Amino acid sequence: MSVLTFPATTTTRRVADDERARILADPGFGTHFTDFMAHARWTAEDGWGPGELIPYGPLQLSPAAAVLHYGQEVFEGMKAFRHADGSVWTFRPEQNARRMQRSAHRMALPELPEDVFLASVQELVAADEPWVPAADGEQSLYLRPFMFASEAGLGVRSGAVVDYYVIASPSGAYFPRGVQPLVVWVSEEHSRAGAGGTGAAKTGGNYASSLLAKQEAAARGADEVMFLDSQTRSRIDELSGMNVFAITRDGRILTPELSGSILEGVTRDSILQLARDRGLEASEQILLIDDVLEQIRSGEITELFAAGTAAVINPIGELVTTQGRWTIGDGGSGEATLALREELTGIQYGRLEDRYGWMQRLV
Ligand code: COI
């Protein structure tokens, strides 16, 4: 049992039922927020203080707060899914709790105990239950736990005051075009992370460093950017906020190994498990961009896809480099990609048996 719970400390003005229904009809991704947010504060002197649910709203922060200057911050991404019987579940939350601890360690932030993390998510979703979209379709309540150094001061040191929040956002597909094959620009100029850096941590700086390359991708008509390793610019790392997978004609599924500079995706790990059980030979390995392009050209690689909590599993139809354009398969959504997607979402929405015990009931 958690020593820290998250009771509602004040009442909140709830969004009116008809306004909430209007939002839930077409929520987009990450643009609407619920009635409550969870909060707890840590100080170097006293450790974690009491948890609370407070009305969702702006934060009061010193302009000198360390996070605004030196980026000492970590976050997580997870989802609450409504099942057909009305119950609400989340997917492998202990994995997010542990990854947040690893990210926090790398960023010199305090580690939030796993049971406190789980309590914050559980109690927020219970209070915001009307915001969990209906079971039909593929919408969910996206959950964003995050933690940052709020202590005021411009010296470069780890903050002695740290705030933890969880906010929630009813969401549909991550990509504006829905689950359609992506066009992905391969950035040869910018990397998102370097050896010994923070690439494996879920911290804002990694995402900030992807933005210029994302703008360059957009200027070439691409939806996403693929990063290569910073040292040799030859090995595939990941996309701006998703891991990447390839499927071969002879039934192998390949993904870049955890080199220390890519995110240890919960979806990535789940896909490897599902793929192995489907009889695909799964391999975490160095993927050289030149080999991948050659194998796309020869037809050896038949499918490519992006994977993450927000993106779920999204086909990639084309890679664009300074050398030209590479269409994967027929440029459409690959069969094996869609089958994996169907199976993963089937488990998440309770349409398929949870044979790995991945789901945890919240409401
Ligand atoms: C997630 O998939 O949950 C992330 O945090 C990635 C971000 C691109 C939305």
Side-chain angles (χ1 to χ4, degrees):
M1 220 8 233
S2 171
V3 289
L4 192 55
T5 59
F6 288 78
T9 53
T10 51
T11 53
T12 189
R13 257 213 2 222
R14 289 185 178 271
V15 170
D17 289 352
D18 56 346
E19 172 63 1
R20 192 176 57 247
R22 193 189 61 73
I23 292 169
L24 290 179
D26 185 16
F29 180 83
T31 52
H32 299 282
F33 299 92
T34 59
D35 300 323
F36 284 102
M37 57 188 181
H39 172 244
R41 172 166 289 179
W42 176 94
T43 63
E45 212 173 325
D46 298 325
W48 287 104
E52 55 180 353
L53 288 187
I54 52 179
Y56 176 86
L59 308 181
Q60 217 182 17
L61 203 59
S62 163
V67 65
L68 300 178
H69 303 273
Y70 307 125
Q72 197 187 5
E73 183 269 356
V74 298
F75 70 97
E76 271 303 320
M78 48 202 298
K79 286 174 171 173
F81 304 92
R82 179 139 357 237
H83 287 189
D85 65 0
S87 59
V88 179
W89 300 70
T90 194
F91 182 72
R92 307 187 73 184
E94 73 294 342
Q95 298 298 322
N96 297 92
R98 291 173 200 161
R99 186 173 63 188
M100 193 164 189
Q101 290 178 336
R102 295 195 296 277
S103 299
H105 175 73
R106 179 63 185 85
M107 299 304 291
L109 284 163
E111 292 178 29
L112 186 72
E114 191 176 318
D115 60 348
V116 176
F117 179 95
L118 298 177
S120 66
V121 165
Q122 174 120 31
E123 291 175 45
L124 178 65
V125 173
D128 276 332
E129 188 272 339
W131 284 97
V132 184
D136 50 348
E138 289 205 355
Q139 295 177 354
S140 59
L141 185 65
Y142 184 78
L143 303 169
R144 172 53 62 87
F146 61 106
M147 185 195 291
F148 58 88
S150 50
E151 187 189 13
L154 299 183
V156 179
R157 59 175 183 275
S158 52
V161 183
V162 169
D163 281 288
Y164 167 71
Y165 288 89
V166 190
I167 56 173
S169 173
S171 294
Y174 177 72
F175 292 106
R177 291 194 290 120
V179 189
Q180 294 297 325
L182 300 170
V183 177
V184 174
W185 162 247
V186 180
S187 178
E188 291 159 28
E189 193 181 351
H190 307 292
S191 288
R192 71 180 274 288
T198 59
K202 206 159 171 66
T203 182
N206 295 335
Y207 296 78
S209 80
S210 77
L211 297 177
L212 180 60
K214 273 196 95 166
Q215 286 178 347
E216 291 169 359
R220 288 169 173 82
D223 307 285
E224 257 298 330
V225 58
M226 177 182 281
F227 289 105
L228 307 176
D229 75 283
S230 63
Q231 283 166 308
T232 68
R233 300 273 154 73
S234 65
R235 299 189 292 266
I236 295 176
D237 265 0
E238 62 179 65
L239 308 189
S240 74
M242 293 131 239
N243 296 120
V244 65
F245 283 82
I247 296 179
T248 65
R249 192 170 42 197
D250 59 1
R252 286 173 298 129
I253 181 162
L254 316 174
T255 194
E257 64 186 7
L258 297 175
S259 56
S261 66
I262 68 171
L263 192 77
E264 298 167 13
V266 179
T267 309
R268 174 188 180 280
D269 181 71
S270 310
I271 288 168
L272 287 170
Q273 177 81 58
L274 292 175
R276 287 188 179 113
D277 287 359
R278 287 182 157 259
L280 291 168
E281 187 192 316
S283 170
E284 301 171 68
Q285 60 179 72
I286 290 173
L287 283 182
L288 297 173
I289 184 65
D290 286 348
D291 291 353
V292 166
L293 293 176
E294 177 45 38
Q295 288 170 25
I296 290 171
R297 174 90 74 212
S298 71
E300 178 63 26
I301 287 180
T302 49
E303 302 181 32
L304 215 59
F305 65 85
T309 297
V312 193
I313 291 178
N314 206 104
I316 298 173
E318 196 177 22
L319 291 185
V320 183
T321 77
T322 49
Q323 310 303 310
R325 304 179 84 91
W326 277 257
T327 302
I328 299 119
D330 63 3
S333 302
E335 213 177 288
T337 301
L338 291 185
L340 282 166
R341 189 177 200 287
E342 198 53 37
E343 189 167 16
L344 179 66
T345 56
I347 292 171
Q348 292 174 329
Y349 286 90
R351 296 188 293 262
L352 294 178
E353 186 202 344
D354 175 20
R355 60 184 192 277
Y356 307 101
W358 280 344
M359 303 305 293
Q360 187 165 313
R361 188 166 179 175
L362 296 175
V363 180

